[in-house]
PDB file of all heavy atoms in Angstrom:
ATOM      1  N   ILE A  83     -24.464  91.940 -62.399  1.00  0.00           N
ATOM      2  CA  ILE A  83     -25.358  93.023 -62.006  1.00  0.00           C
ATOM      3  C   ILE A  83     -24.446  94.069 -61.308  1.00  0.00           C
ATOM      4  O   ILE A  83     -23.796  93.734 -60.321  1.00  0.00           O
ATOM      5  CB  ILE A  83     -26.390  92.451 -61.001  1.00  0.00           C
ATOM      6  CG1 ILE A  83     -27.123  91.258 -61.695  1.00  0.00           C
ATOM      7  CG2 ILE A  83     -27.334  93.474 -60.520  1.00  0.00           C
ATOM      8  CD1 ILE A  83     -27.844  90.295 -60.785  1.00  0.00           C
ATOM      9  N   LYS A  84     -24.533  95.295 -61.795  1.00  0.00           N
ATOM     10  CA  LYS A  84     -23.774  96.384 -61.193  1.00  0.00           C
ATOM     11  C   LYS A  84     -24.760  97.268 -60.517  1.00  0.00           C
ATOM     12  O   LYS A  84     -25.694  97.841 -61.078  1.00  0.00           O
ATOM     13  CB  LYS A  84     -23.063  97.221 -62.245  1.00  0.00           C
ATOM     14  CG  LYS A  84     -22.023  96.357 -62.923  1.00  0.00           C
ATOM     15  CD  LYS A  84     -21.246  97.102 -64.029  1.00  0.00           C
ATOM     16  CE  LYS A  84     -20.205  96.179 -64.692  1.00  0.00           C
ATOM     17  NZ  LYS A  84     -19.469  96.801 -65.756  1.00  0.00           N
ATOM     18  N   VAL A  85     -24.581  97.369 -59.143  1.00  0.00           N
ATOM     19  CA  VAL A  85     -25.515  98.059 -58.222  1.00  0.00           C
ATOM     20  C   VAL A  85     -24.851  99.383 -57.753  1.00  0.00           C
ATOM     21  O   VAL A  85     -23.778  99.284 -57.228  1.00  0.00           O
ATOM     22  CB  VAL A  85     -25.948  97.128 -57.108  1.00  0.00           C
ATOM     23  CG1 VAL A  85     -26.966  97.834 -56.254  1.00  0.00           C
ATOM     24  CG2 VAL A  85     -26.451  95.831 -57.659  1.00  0.00           C
ATOM     25  N   LYS A  86     -25.569 100.432 -57.865  1.00  0.00           N
ATOM     26  CA  LYS A  86     -25.110 101.719 -57.319  1.00  0.00           C
ATOM     27  C   LYS A  86     -26.142 102.152 -56.302  1.00  0.00           C
ATOM     28  O   LYS A  86     -27.312 102.418 -56.642  1.00  0.00           O
ATOM     29  CB  LYS A  86     -24.938 102.813 -58.340  1.00  0.00           C
ATOM     30  CG  LYS A  86     -24.509 104.141 -57.822  1.00  0.00           C
ATOM     31  CD  LYS A  86     -24.220 105.112 -58.931  1.00  0.00           C
ATOM     32  CE  LYS A  86     -25.452 105.513 -59.682  1.00  0.00           C
ATOM     33  NZ  LYS A  86     -25.257 106.721 -60.687  1.00  0.00           N
ATOM     34  N   ILE A  87     -25.699 102.259 -55.085  1.00  0.00           N
ATOM     35  CA  ILE A  87     -26.551 102.670 -53.895  1.00  0.00           C
ATOM     36  C   ILE A  87     -26.165 104.098 -53.533  1.00  0.00           C
ATOM     37  O   ILE A  87     -24.963 104.359 -53.240  1.00  0.00           O
ATOM     38  CB  ILE A  87     -26.487 101.766 -52.674  1.00  0.00           C
ATOM     39  CG1 ILE A  87     -26.826 100.376 -53.158  1.00  0.00           C
ATOM     40  CG2 ILE A  87     -27.201 102.259 -51.505  1.00  0.00           C
ATOM     41  CD1 ILE A  87     -26.656  99.351 -52.076  1.00  0.00           C
ATOM     42  N   VAL A  88     -27.105 105.002 -53.604  1.00  0.00           N
ATOM     43  CA  VAL A  88     -26.910 106.434 -53.387  1.00  0.00           C
ATOM     44  C   VAL A  88     -27.492 106.841 -51.971  1.00  0.00           C
ATOM     45  O   VAL A  88     -28.619 106.435 -51.691  1.00  0.00           O
ATOM     46  CB  VAL A  88     -27.510 107.328 -54.523  1.00  0.00           C
ATOM     47  CG1 VAL A  88     -27.301 108.766 -54.229  1.00  0.00           C
ATOM     48  CG2 VAL A  88     -26.913 106.868 -55.850  1.00  0.00           C
ATOM     49  N   GLY A  89     -26.738 107.684 -51.283  1.00  0.00           N
ATOM     50  CA  GLY A  89     -27.274 108.252 -50.124  1.00  0.00           C
ATOM     51  C   GLY A  89     -27.345 107.402 -48.859  1.00  0.00           C
ATOM     52  O   GLY A  89     -28.114 107.647 -47.924  1.00  0.00           O
ATOM     53  N   ALA A  90     -26.534 106.284 -48.816  1.00  0.00           N
ATOM     54  CA  ALA A  90     -26.492 105.422 -47.631  1.00  0.00           C
ATOM     55  C   ALA A  90     -25.437 105.945 -46.672  1.00  0.00           C
ATOM     56  O   ALA A  90     -24.406 106.610 -46.986  1.00  0.00           O
ATOM     57  CB  ALA A  90     -25.996 104.069 -48.094  1.00  0.00           C
ATOM     58  N   ASP A  91     -25.685 105.751 -45.440  1.00  0.00           N
ATOM     59  CA  ASP A  91     -24.759 106.111 -44.373  1.00  0.00           C
ATOM     60  C   ASP A  91     -23.453 105.234 -44.542  1.00  0.00           C
ATOM     61  O   ASP A  91     -23.531 104.010 -44.580  1.00  0.00           O
ATOM     62  CB  ASP A  91     -25.402 105.778 -42.980  1.00  0.00           C
ATOM     63  CG  ASP A  91     -24.537 106.167 -41.795  1.00  0.00           C
ATOM     64  OD1 ASP A  91     -23.294 106.420 -42.008  1.00  0.00           O
ATOM     65  OD2 ASP A  91     -25.068 106.217 -40.621  1.00  0.00           O
ATOM     66  N   PRO A  92     -22.305 105.865 -44.651  1.00  0.00           N
ATOM     67  CA  PRO A  92     -21.045 105.139 -44.970  1.00  0.00           C
ATOM     68  C   PRO A  92     -20.766 104.153 -43.756  1.00  0.00           C
ATOM     69  O   PRO A  92     -20.112 103.134 -44.097  1.00  0.00           O
ATOM     70  CB  PRO A  92     -20.031 106.219 -44.956  1.00  0.00           C
ATOM     71  CG  PRO A  92     -20.694 107.574 -45.275  1.00  0.00           C
ATOM     72  CD  PRO A  92     -22.094 107.335 -44.765  1.00  0.00           C
ATOM     73  N   GLU A  93     -21.235 104.437 -42.592  1.00  0.00           N
ATOM     74  CA  GLU A  93     -20.985 103.469 -41.543  1.00  0.00           C
ATOM     75  C   GLU A  93     -21.846 102.294 -41.638  1.00  0.00           C
ATOM     76  O   GLU A  93     -21.558 101.214 -40.960  1.00  0.00           O
ATOM     77  CB  GLU A  93     -21.234 104.172 -40.156  1.00  0.00           C
ATOM     78  CG  GLU A  93     -20.255 105.321 -39.917  1.00  0.00           C
ATOM     79  CD  GLU A  93     -20.462 106.008 -38.550  1.00  0.00           C
ATOM     80  OE1 GLU A  93     -21.347 105.541 -37.756  1.00  0.00           O
ATOM     81  OE2 GLU A  93     -19.831 107.074 -38.340  1.00  0.00           O
ATOM     82  N   LYS A  94     -22.794 102.209 -42.491  1.00  0.00           N
ATOM     83  CA  LYS A  94     -23.730 101.135 -42.666  1.00  0.00           C
ATOM     84  C   LYS A  94     -23.487 100.320 -43.921  1.00  0.00           C
ATOM     85  O   LYS A  94     -24.267  99.499 -44.353  1.00  0.00           O
ATOM     86  CB  LYS A  94     -25.132 101.500 -42.544  1.00  0.00           C
ATOM     87  CG  LYS A  94     -25.420 102.335 -41.280  1.00  0.00           C
ATOM     88  CD  LYS A  94     -26.741 102.044 -40.687  1.00  0.00           C
ATOM     89  CE  LYS A  94     -26.779 102.552 -39.325  1.00  0.00           C
ATOM     90  NZ  LYS A  94     -28.055 103.255 -39.079  1.00  0.00           N
TER      91      LYS A  94
END
Side-chain angles (χ1 to χ4, degrees):
I83 305 162
K84 296 178 182 177
V85 183
K86 179 173 67 174
I87 298 173
V88 178
D91 181 345
E93 294 179 10
K94 304 216 172 140

